[in-house]
Each structure stands twice: as C-alpha cells, then as structure tokens.
Amino acid sequence: PIRYQVQIGLLDTEIHERLIASTGDGTPLDPAVVGAVSVVPDEHQEAPDALTVDVAFDDGIRLVGYRAPEVALPGSTVTVTLIWSPTATPTHDLVAFVHLWQPGDPVPLAQHDSRPREGWFPTLAWRAGDLIEDTHEFAIPRDLEPGTYPLWAGLYRPEDGERLPASGVQGRLLHDLVPLGSLHIEAH
C-alpha cells in the first residue's frame, strides 16, 4: 500500500521553469498539494515468512507480525519489517520505530524511527483490514561488542513523543514496547 500526493502546477514554457503557487496571502505552496490517493490491495493478503505477534495498540492498530534477522556484524545494516493490520482507521499521524536497546540503557544502541513506509503510507490513510508491511533499516555501530541484544518496536505521536499504549495476551506491555526477540552481534 502507498499514499500518493496529488499536486498541480504550471510551467512557463518560455523559460522552462515551474511556477510557484501561493495562497491568497502570498504564502508559497511548493509543491501545491490538492489531495491524496491511497492505493491498496482489494483483498486481505497474508505476510509471507513472518513471525506472528498479536499486540493491540490504542487507536485501532495491531502489530500482527515481523521479519528480523537473528545475527548481524558490527557495521552492517539490519532490516526489520513490521506488519501492521488496523482494526479501524487511526485518528493520529504516528511514527513507528524499531530499537536495538538494552533495558536500563539511556538510549538505543541502534534505531530507526519513521512514519510507516518511510512516510509513503501514513497511519491516517490506513483502513480496517489493511495489511501494511513497514520496513526499517538501521546500522549496527562498528564498535558494538559481540553479544545478544533485544529488539523492540512501537508507535508514538511525533508532536509529543508519547508512545501509544500497547497490550499483548498478558496485558499492557512494559514501556509500551513490543519485544521482537534478540539480535546476536558476532565478532568480525
């Protein structure tokens, strides 16, 4: 699924440049976005080769699966795919994240935070029954010591950084973080 922006504009054919549109008070609109179109599959599809989870977030969002490597090297790039399935159209524009984080540490060791599908399919465009594969890539620090580190995922509101409440089978998840297993960092 993806959400395209619909833009309009004019081209000055003599100088071959695009003219900048503006609002009535002169504020430039570059680009002039007049709407959006979501392109999604007609029928529900299953995510192949994904590990299953069942975590419910506030705002009608469920994390139903993920794909993540089990092993990585320092300095390598890791790709984690989160698979979302809303039960309703969300009412907030949210940021999804994947963190390689050791509980108790003040900051993640590595991370990737972005609006779903790198902003190409924001949560406000989701509909009940959609299946959204949301890929997150991040670099493992070159100086990270070999060992096993936990992976976590979640959602937050970008305006205040507040995480969306997340609940699993056992109830509310600690720190509203979804555990995605571990990533073993091998020595070079």
Side-chain angles (χ1 to χ4, degrees):
I2 194 166
R3 184 174 177 100
Y4 292 100
Q5 291 185 342
V6 178
Q7 301 176 6
I8 61 169
L10 296 172
L11 179 70
D12 184 327
T13 58
E14 290 183 19
I15 60 173
H16 300 287
E17 288 186 13
R18 185 171 51 90
L19 301 175
I20 305 286
S22 61
T23 62
D25 68 358
T27 304
L29 295 172
D30 190 23
V33 177
V34 295
V37 175
S38 294
V39 178
V40 296
D42 281 340
E43 53 193 57
H44 180 72
Q45 298 175 341
E46 294 297 320
D49 304 323
L51 296 171
T52 302
V53 295
D54 187 13
V55 175
F57 288 86
D58 280 8
D59 212 13
I61 298 175
R62 294 188 86 77
L63 181 63
V64 297
Y66 69 95
R67 285 189 295 277
E70 295 178 1
V71 177
L73 293 171
S76 66
T77 298
V78 169
T79 301
V80 176
T81 301
L82 303 175
I83 303 162
W84 305 101
S85 183
T87 57
T89 299
T91 58
H92 292 93
D93 181 27
L94 302 167
V95 171
F97 65 86
V98 175
H99 290 176
L100 186 66
W101 177 68
Q102 212 48 301
D105 285 355
V107 296
L109 300 162
Q111 70 185 74
H112 184 265
D113 299 37
S114 73
R115 286 180 170 82
R117 297 187 52 88
E118 293 293 339
W120 284 99
F121 199 57
T123 54
L124 291 172
W126 294 4
R127 302 172 307 171
D130 284 345
L131 191 66
I132 299 104
E133 292 196 29
D134 178 27
T135 301
H136 295 261
E137 290 186 351
F138 55 90
I140 302 299
R142 291 189 181 283
D143 61 350
L144 187 60
E145 292 293 321
T148 302
Y149 300 91
L151 275 171
W152 308 89
L155 292 165
Y156 65 85
R157 290 183 198 86
E159 62 271 10
D160 60 13
E162 186 175 335
R163 289 187 188 142
L164 245 60
S167 299
V169 176
Q170 304 293 331
R172 180 108 181 240
L173 299 176
L174 185 63
H175 304 296
D176 298 311
L177 291 169
V178 180
L180 301 181
S182 298
L183 182 63
H184 182 72
I185 306 301
E186 293 184 340
H188 276 291

